[in-house]
Amino acid sequence: LPLANVCVVKVDGTPYLCKADEVGEICVNSGATGMAYFGLLGITKNVFEAIPLTAAGVPVSDQPFTRTGLLGFVGPDYLVFVVGKLDGLMTVSGRRHNADDVVATALAVEPMKFVYRGRIAVFSVTVLHDDRIVLVAEQRPDASEEDSFQWMSRVLQAIDSIHQVGVYCLALVPANTLPKAPLGGIHISETKQRFLEGALHPCNVLMCPHTCVTNLPKPRQKQPDVGPASMIVGNLVAGKRIAQASGRDVTQLEDNDQARKFLYLADVLQWRAQTTPDHPLFLLLNSKGTVASTASCIQLHKRAERVAVALMEKGRLNVGDHVALVYPPGVDLIATFYGCLYAGCIPITVRPPHPQNLATTLPTVKMIVEVSKSACILTTQVIMKLLKSKEAATAVDIKTWPTILDTDDMPKKKLASIFRPTSPDMLAYLDFSVSTTGILAGVKMSHAATSALCRSIKLQCELYPSRQIAICLDPYCGLGFALWCLCSVYSGHQSILVPPLELESNVSLWLSAVSQYKVRVTFCSYSVMEMCTKGLGTQTDILRMKGVNLSCVRTCMVVAEERPRITLTQSFSKLFKDLGLSARAVSTTFGCRVNVAICLQGTAGPDPTTVYVDMRALRHDRVRLVERGSPHSLPLMESGKILPGVKVIIAHTETKGPLGDSHLGEIWVSSPHNATGYYTVYGEAALHADHFTARLSFGDTQTVWARTGYLGFLRRTELTDASGERHDALYVVGSLDETLELRGMRYHPIDIETSVIRAHKSIAECAVFTWTNLLVVVVELEGSEQEALDLVALVTNVVLEEHYLIVGVVVIVDPGVIPINSRGEKQRMHLRDGFLADQLDPIYVAYNM
């Protein structure tokens, strides 16, 4: 321009003049340029009123200069060279790169016939404290996926060799889908916005986090472990108590003589049948909410006698033989359980196979029957036909079933004599369950442990013959089985049984029953709670008009073997607050294979407390309490109160020494209702000794503990419990078997999954596992398939940002692919097996480079 001055100033900070060979922003001072932006004072000052300074800080001129937004330098003969735009400047690992240069390199890659020349956008996004380069191009409609990938990998190599910088993400979108700028060309900022929101809908994606993310924190080096003795001394010096807590002492309680009389459940049932024959014990509801069947003390006793006769006469069974009970949830299951006790047989409850899905459910039934060495199967006529059907033969070898008896029409015969165990330590029943890691584990429950379990629950929930409780759980293992089959007979209360399967055809069944029978204590599972939250979210007004009122509920307990799911319990409480549900009612229980009921809120005692811990410290096996809402904070809710007679201690996972208050370690439990051991085919003695008869390496080395396999910590709170002592809260962090060891740190899958689910509205569910050293993220897409590839970058970003991990593989699948067991827990190992066997039928699999 005539009469114009041009200078080049530094890009960042104060506008100092650049040196002769330095690229900077070109500024112009001329009477012919614009003077201001209309109505935008701040930007006007920055752009139109720049005052360039010399190195000494003196203004170059008294006239203001206008910033052009162009990058360049002043060459020989005062020629001004423009090299790019300020908008396209990207600073990666401290080095500057120009978007236009990167585009030029991409355009130079042959052959160009797969993408459109002028339709390439390059920009940077900030992930994990640094800029990452993203390249988006429009793909020609006739290009195949293979051609495009070849072109993409060539572009990556070219940019790497010419610019010495890695591309974080390369995406190809269908023709004419990138947003256009007013003057033609691509609207870069709009494209970037779409990329970050997951609204770009690419048809091909290549992510390279492994090569270009170089600023991950160093992997954790394991320090040599501090010995258990030093640990105790350290805690004493710091004034910290050893993390040990216990429920009420059962030896001091008023029901001791009754407890001695009630050592065998078969005796208790006979006693109830004589003293209160017509007292109703069970009420089973069907999907319409009407009573499908009931059982009083005498009815249950008589049905049990008939079963015992059938076992001895038809089944020709001996005392101590194992019997598999394959029944749908109902009174038959309970009656046959007591029939086995009457005959001196050992019952094993087994979930019946699903008629529509025999291929996956029948092998589990077969496995339990074989592993438990069952001599006989008791079932209904319908299931018996199913077990022997042609369809069953394709899934298992049906010729090797043991004797199968159906109990539909049994002769009314009186039992000559009811079996009486010679000692309370004799085996009462076997409890089989498939763990989330896919291991089938059966545990042995003695008569003494069975009655101790019932007594603990009775004391904690204040259960008496005049009480009613509602149970919406599966009756096949763990606490669900105990509540369904054992507790009513022991305590005499009436159980309203709601099979969770019936909720599939009538979601409001459980809550309507709770309201109709004015139940004070109720139990459910996470899957039931989730069904209610999702299925009744919009129907609270309709339920209120139907007269559903939940103000009668004092405690609603979720039976769980995992860390409490705070988000789900809170949304359930909020949702049904309108129906009178008290905010304090919902809590969780905690149990595991070695002891099915360690914690349970019950009716007395302080409300469950919530603490916030630092997720980063948790990865290093440390507990750091933080304020609510602080960055990286994770809420943990107490898992209910420790049951009467139960002692809990926190032990170091490796040295097996006791830990201090608020220290993370393995939860060990000692109680009269601990299971007595695993029941497996090969009787792995070493495994058993380790899990069921562990002793501390230091301190109290006499007590025998069972190791739960769960990480957690105890914390003394300011609250007081029923005995007037300060209350100790137990917080469960997660199962040790499930944890992922990555980069020297311990990750809980649920934490990574929670971050991923938050990344995009179309992610319905997510599960993670490791394969070789790679982290695999499986995501269920609840939306159109064109959104599938948007998720790849979002998932990779969020896991990098929040967990400092690089995702190796992102698998995008349809809803319902991630397997979930009856407790509502994800079966991550089954999913991993499915992934490795290529059975997931994914929408898209992205292997990050």
Side-chain angles (χ1 to χ4, degrees):
L1 287 172
L3 302 174
N5 294 317
V6 171
C7 66
V8 178
V9 300
K10 293 194 186 298
V11 174
D12 299 324
T14 320
Y16 287 110
L17 288 181
C18 288
K19 300 209 165 53
D21 59 350
E22 206 177 346
V23 173
E25 184 177 7
I26 298 169
C27 295
V28 179
N29 161 275
S30 156
T33 59
M35 290 165 59
Y37 285 121
F38 180 73
L40 299 172
L41 301 177
I43 296 186
T44 295
K45 188 153 186 60
N46 197 13
V47 173
F48 291 95
E49 296 171 23
I51 308 285
L53 307 173
T54 60
V58 182
V60 175
S61 135
D62 53 354
Q63 294 290 315
F65 277 66
T66 301
R67 290 173 179 268
T68 61
L70 298 172
L71 295 174
F73 58 95
V74 177
D77 302 332
Y78 299 110
L79 291 172
V80 177
F81 290 84
V82 178
V83 297
K85 294 205 291 283
L86 192 63
D87 286 353
L89 192 64
M90 304 177 290
T91 309
V92 181
S93 308
R95 285 180 60 216
R96 292 202 177 116
H97 299 275
N98 194 320
D100 294 343
D101 297 348
V102 177
V103 170
T105 305
L107 288 175
V109 172
E110 288 297 323
M112 264 309 295
K113 60 174 185 278
F114 305 128
V115 294
Y116 288 104
R117 234 180 205 302
R119 311 287 298 157
I120 296 181
V122 170
F123 52 87
S124 67
V125 294
T126 307
V127 180
L128 195 67
H129 322 303
D130 200 357
D131 278 9
R132 314 284 174 194
I133 295 179
V134 178
L135 189 149
V136 184
E138 282 188 0
Q139 178 179 317
R140 290 180 184 262
D142 48 353
S144 75
E145 195 168 5
E146 202 149 308
D147 296 339
S148 308
F149 266 110
Q150 232 167 2
W151 181 79
M152 285 156 94
S153 47
R154 285 190 193 139
V155 167
L156 290 178
Q157 287 165 351
I159 293 174
D160 188 48
S161 61
I162 292 170
H163 302 275
Q164 274 93 51
V165 68
V167 174
Y168 177 67
C169 175
L170 214 160
L172 296 183
V173 297
N176 283 323
T177 55
L178 285 180
K180 295 181 175 59
L183 301 171
I186 295 172
H187 199 305
I188 303 283
S189 60
E190 174 69 13
T191 305
K192 177 174 173 175
Q193 193 57 30
R194 285 190 192 177
F195 173 78
L196 292 171
E197 287 172 358
L200 203 55
H201 308 331
C203 46
N204 265 321
V205 164
L206 194 54
M207 300 274 306
C208 309
H210 290 281
T211 45
C212 73
V213 177
T214 51
N215 63 335
L216 280 171
K218 282 198 173 69
R220 172 192 177 198
Q221 300 295 316
K222 283 266 170 78
Q223 299 305 322
D225 274 320
V226 181
S230 323
M231 205 77 109
I232 286 196
V233 173
N235 280 320
L236 288 173
V237 172
K240 278 204 167 154
R241 50 178 221 102
I242 293 299
Q244 185 167 357
S246 49
R248 281 180 290 165
D249 183 359
V250 276
T251 52
Q252 308 300 317
L253 293 168
E254 67 292 344
D255 66 336
N256 268 342
D257 2 321
Q258 191 201 21
R260 274 193 292 277
K261 281 188 217 141
F262 280 16
L263 258 181
Y264 304 106
L265 277 178
D267 291 359
V268 182
L269 181 55
Q270 292 167 68
W271 175 78
R272 291 203 184 281
Q274 280 161 7
T275 51
T276 55
D278 300 323
H279 175 66
L281 283 180
F282 298 104
L283 210 97
L284 179 78
L285 300 183
N286 61 19
S287 58
K288 296 188 179 66
T290 51
V291 177
S293 62
T294 59
S296 64
C297 300
I298 189 77
Q299 286 169 332
L300 189 63
H301 167 67
K302 284 189 170 161
R303 281 164 87 167
E305 279 196 316
R306 278 192 237 158
V307 171
V309 171
L311 284 172
M312 291 168 176
E313 293 182 359
K314 274 195 188 163
R316 306 246 165 87
L317 294 188
N318 303 315
V319 166
D321 279 347
H322 295 186
V323 179
L325 312 178
V326 187
Y327 287 92
V331 179
D332 279 349
L333 180 74
I334 304 166
T336 48
F337 176 83
Y338 286 97
C340 289
L341 297 189
Y342 280 9
C345 296
I346 311 299
I348 299 108
T349 46
V350 184
R351 173 192 306 281
H354 196 291
Q356 270 77 53
N357 189 4
L358 283 179
T360 51
T361 56
L362 194 61
T364 311
V365 176
K366 185 87 166 110
M367 198 154 115
I368 296 177
V369 169
E370 281 173 4
V371 172
S372 65
K373 299 183 181 160
S374 294
C376 169
I377 296 174
L378 288 185
T379 184
T380 63
Q381 279 175 1
V382 176
I383 294 172
M384 183 168 160
K385 280 187 189 132
L386 189 63
L387 295 180
K388 295 179 170 179
S389 67
K390 274 187 193 153
E391 295 77 41
T394 58
V396 297
D397 179 4
I398 59 171
K399 294 192 183 77
T400 55
W401 287 119
T403 319
I404 304 179
L405 300 180
D406 80 83
T407 52
D408 288 356
D409 340 290
M410 286 179 297
K412 290 189 178 174
K413 279 192 179 171
K414 203 156 168 52
L415 191 61
S417 70
I418 289 176
F419 172 78
R420 195 150 204 282
T422 47
S423 127
D425 297 328
M426 278 180 72
L427 189 57
Y429 69 93
L430 293 178
D431 179 331
F432 271 88
S433 140
V434 179
S435 76
T436 48
T437 48
I439 295 164
L440 176 70
V443 292
K444 299 187 279 201
M445 286 293 283
S446 66
H447 286 279
T450 307
S451 64
L453 171 65
C454 293
R455 183 185 179 197
S456 260
I457 295 170
K458 174 197 163 185
L459 294 167
Q460 194 83 332
C461 296
E462 299 175 6
L463 300 174
Y464 307 106
S466 55
R467 283 280 158 89
Q468 276 185 323
I469 70 170
I471 301 165
C472 190
L473 290 168
D474 273 321
Y476 301 107
C477 62
L479 186 53
F481 164 76
L483 290 163
W484 187 285
C485 291
L486 312 174
C487 291
S488 267
V489 169
Y490 186 90
S491 311
H493 61 272
Q494 187 184 22
S495 292
I496 295 154
L497 308 172
V498 182
L501 262 176
E502 305 287 11
L503 266 70
E504 287 178 13
S505 47
N506 176 7
V507 190
S508 63
L509 176 65
W510 168 52
L511 294 177
S512 305
V514 165
S515 162
Q516 183 188 341
Y517 292 97
K518 301 208 172 17
V519 171
R520 290 167 70 173
V521 175
T522 180
F523 292 88
C524 71
S525 63
Y526 279 124
S527 23
V528 166
M529 194 166 262
E530 202 154 19
M531 277 166 86
C532 291
T533 317
K534 284 184 177 162
L536 301 172
T538 52
Q539 295 181 26
T540 44
D541 293 343
I542 304 168
L543 290 175
R544 197 184 306 110
M545 282 158 64
K546 283 185 181 167
V548 174
N549 181 354
L550 302 176
S551 57
C552 51
V553 178
R554 268 177 62 182
T555 174
C556 163
M557 288 168 273
V558 189
V559 172
E561 300 190 4
E562 58 180 297
R563 176 200 303 177
R565 298 190 202 171
I566 266 191
T567 357
L568 180 57
T569 52
Q570 283 178 348
S571 50
F572 179 83
S573 295
K574 274 188 195 141
L575 187 60
F576 297 109
K577 191 175 85 180
D578 297 352
L579 297 178
L581 183 68
S582 149
R584 301 167 51 186
V586 181
S587 62
T588 66
T589 72
F590 173 62
C592 59
R593 287 284 70 199
V594 299
N595 185 325
V596 298
I598 297 169
C599 298
L600 196 150
Q601 184 59 30
T603 43
D607 290 341
T609 51
T610 299
V611 292
Y612 292 84
V613 297
D614 185 330
M615 207 188 304
R616 290 166 305 180
L618 216 49
R619 291 172 203 151
H620 296 270
D621 286 343
R622 289 198 301 272
V623 173
R624 197 173 133 242
L625 297 175
V626 292
E627 290 298 316
R628 178 184 179 176
S630 54
H632 300 283
S633 67
L634 173 76
L636 291 177
M637 185 167 89
E638 182 189 348
S639 292
K641 303 290 161 281
I642 296 172
L643 279 161
V646 175
K647 283 198 294 195
V648 169
I649 195 163
I650 305 295
H652 193 285
T653 47
E654 277 147 24
T655 66
K656 297 187 182 171
L659 294 174
D661 190 275
S662 297
H663 276 58
L664 188 72
E666 187 180 4
I667 301 168
W668 287 15
V669 59
S670 164
S671 116
H673 64 255
N674 274 7
T676 44
Y678 285 122
Y679 182 86
T680 46
V681 207
Y682 313 110
E684 295 168 12
L687 184 77
H688 164 196
D690 193 17
H691 284 203
F692 287 89
T693 51
R695 291 174 197 266
L696 291 172
S697 57
F698 195 82
D700 165 13
T701 52
Q702 293 311 303
T703 312
V704 175
W705 302 88
R707 299 176 55 177
T708 62
Y710 282 79
L711 285 173
F713 59 96
L714 278 165
R715 180 170 167 270
R716 180 151 278 185
T717 64
E718 296 301 316
L719 307 166
T720 49
D721 59 24
S723 59
E725 300 288 317
R726 276 180 64 191
H727 167 65
D728 295 309
L730 175 66
Y731 299 94
V732 178
V733 175
S735 156
L736 265 164
D737 290 347
E738 290 264 298
T739 55
L740 311 172
E741 287 273 340
L742 292 161
R743 308 186 67 254
M745 292 178 281
R746 199 195 301 269
Y747 286 87
H748 294 272
I750 187 72
D751 297 327
I752 301 174
E753 289 158 3
T754 306
S755 300
V756 170
I757 287 171
R758 280 204 314 263
H760 193 276
K761 62 178 189 310
S762 297
I763 298 178
E765 188 53 275
C766 158
V768 301
F769 51 83
T770 50
W771 166 49
T772 59
N773 275 347
L774 293 175
L775 176 65
V776 181
V777 179
V778 180
V779 168
E780 287 185 3
L781 171 70
E782 201 174 39
S784 68
E785 290 200 1
Q786 64 170 19
E787 289 180 341
L789 284 121
D790 285 316
L791 305 182
V792 177
L794 295 182
V795 167
T796 309
N797 292 357
V798 77
V799 176
L800 251 176
E801 261 317 330
E802 296 186 12
H803 302 278
Y804 308 147
L805 290 176
I806 293 177
V807 176
V809 188
V810 181
V811 186
I812 297 169
V813 295
D814 294 309
V817 168
I818 296 171
I820 285 177
N821 67 13
S822 61
R823 289 191 295 274
E825 299 163 336
K826 294 174 198 167
Q827 303 283 76
R828 297 182 184 90
M829 286 305 119
H830 280 320
L831 185 68
R832 184 177 185 273
D833 297 342
F835 168 72
L836 296 180
D838 203 14
Q839 292 164 346
L840 298 186
D841 189 21
I843 299 169
Y844 191 82
V845 180
Y847 292 92
N848 287 346
M849 288 164 65

